Amino acid sequence: MHTLPTLSYAYEALEPHIDGLTMHVHHDKHHQAYLDKFNAALSNYPELAKLSAEDLLWHFEDQVKTSAPADIQAALKNHGGGFEHHNLFWEIMSPNGPREAVGELAAAISSKFTSFADFKTQFIDIAMKQFGSGWAWLVLDENKKLALYSLPNQDSPLLSKHYPIMGVDVWEHAYYLKYQNRRPEYLEAIWNVLDWQKIEDRYQAGLTK
Ligand code: MN
């Protein structure tokens, strides 16, 4: 059984950028619901249940599609994705990390996007253009190069063996209580709580995945 991670900071710690009520509902209700449905889908598949969510999505083609029927595949893709993506989201935010890229990732971002400021502009643009629910992603692609795109719903970069370094949830539940329909304000505010040391750690993990 997978379990809900506890936050490494208080629910209110990201205020005023992400409010405590949103954090409570997002973590305690939405993330919990993905987890419960993910575990339910795994209940008759003990071999798949042994995998981490990350590995289950990474090996979806060769392990899930060969051992589960279509309805279970869909549940594992949607709820496994939802579970894993929120694990990542809580991990890459903090009340007081570096607010721009550090280490080798800083160099890689400057090389790919000219500057951190240009990267931020492109990231927000992609997140704005995601129609409806989804996520904007910074990933390491199959050649271990940085790539930037959005995906709908809980479709995971991991399904394409792309390692997610950083992602921003643009489902309305991520911002509606505080920002209502103002997705641009949310997408500006989030940069005040992203922890680029944690994102650098993910970059290093992705290079060796
Ligand atoms: Mn969410």
Side-chain angles (χ1 to χ4, degrees), residues 124 128 175 179 181-191:
I124 291 173
M128 277 304 300
Y175 61 87
Y179 296 100
N181 62 325
R182 304 188 303 278
R183 190 189 284 191
E185 286 183 34
Y186 162 69
L187 287 172
E188 281 294 334
I190 194 94
W191 300 82

Side-chain angles (χ1 to χ4, degrees), residues 9-26:
Y9 41 82
Y11 288 95
E12 293 76 21
L14 306 180
E15 291 187 349
H17 311 291
I18 308 290
D19 61 292
L21 180 59
T22 294
M23 289 297 295
H24 269 288
V25 174
H26 204 172

Side-chain angles (χ1 to χ4, degrees), residues 50-150:
K50 289 177 188 168
L51 299 171
S52 68
E54 179 183 296
D55 279 340
L56 182 140
L57 295 165
W58 186 268
H59 293 289
F60 205 84
E61 287 292 325
D62 51 298
Q63 298 208 22
V64 177
K65 287 198 173 177
T66 56
S67 59
D71 60 329
I72 297 293
Q73 289 179 33
L76 294 175
K77 171 174 165 280
N78 292 333
H79 302 296
F83 173 64
E84 181 60 16
H85 297 160
H86 290 88
N87 292 343
L88 173 151
F89 198 45
W90 314 137
E91 174 192 342
I92 65 169
M93 295 192 287
S94 81
N96 41 33
R99 299 310 183 204
E100 287 198 10
V102 297
E104 292 182 24
L105 178 56
I109 285 177
S110 293
S111 172
K112 169 84 179 177
F113 302 100
T114 309
S115 69
F116 187 81
D118 285 356
F119 158 72
K120 177 180 171 181
T121 300
Q122 289 184 45
F123 189 95
I124 291 173
D125 185 54
I126 279 171
M128 277 304 300
K129 287 175 177 165
Q130 170 57 41
F131 180 74
S133 297
W135 292 69
W137 293 108
L138 176 66
V139 304
L140 275 172
D141 70 12
E142 61 276 20
N143 298 314
K144 303 298 183 190
K145 299 297 184 190
L146 292 177
L148 184 55
Y149 52 75
S150 67

Side-chain angles (χ1 to χ4, degrees), residues 37-48:
K37 291 175 181 173
F38 183 41
N39 279 330
L42 286 167
S43 60
N44 291 324
Y45 299 89
E47 292 304 313
L48 296 178

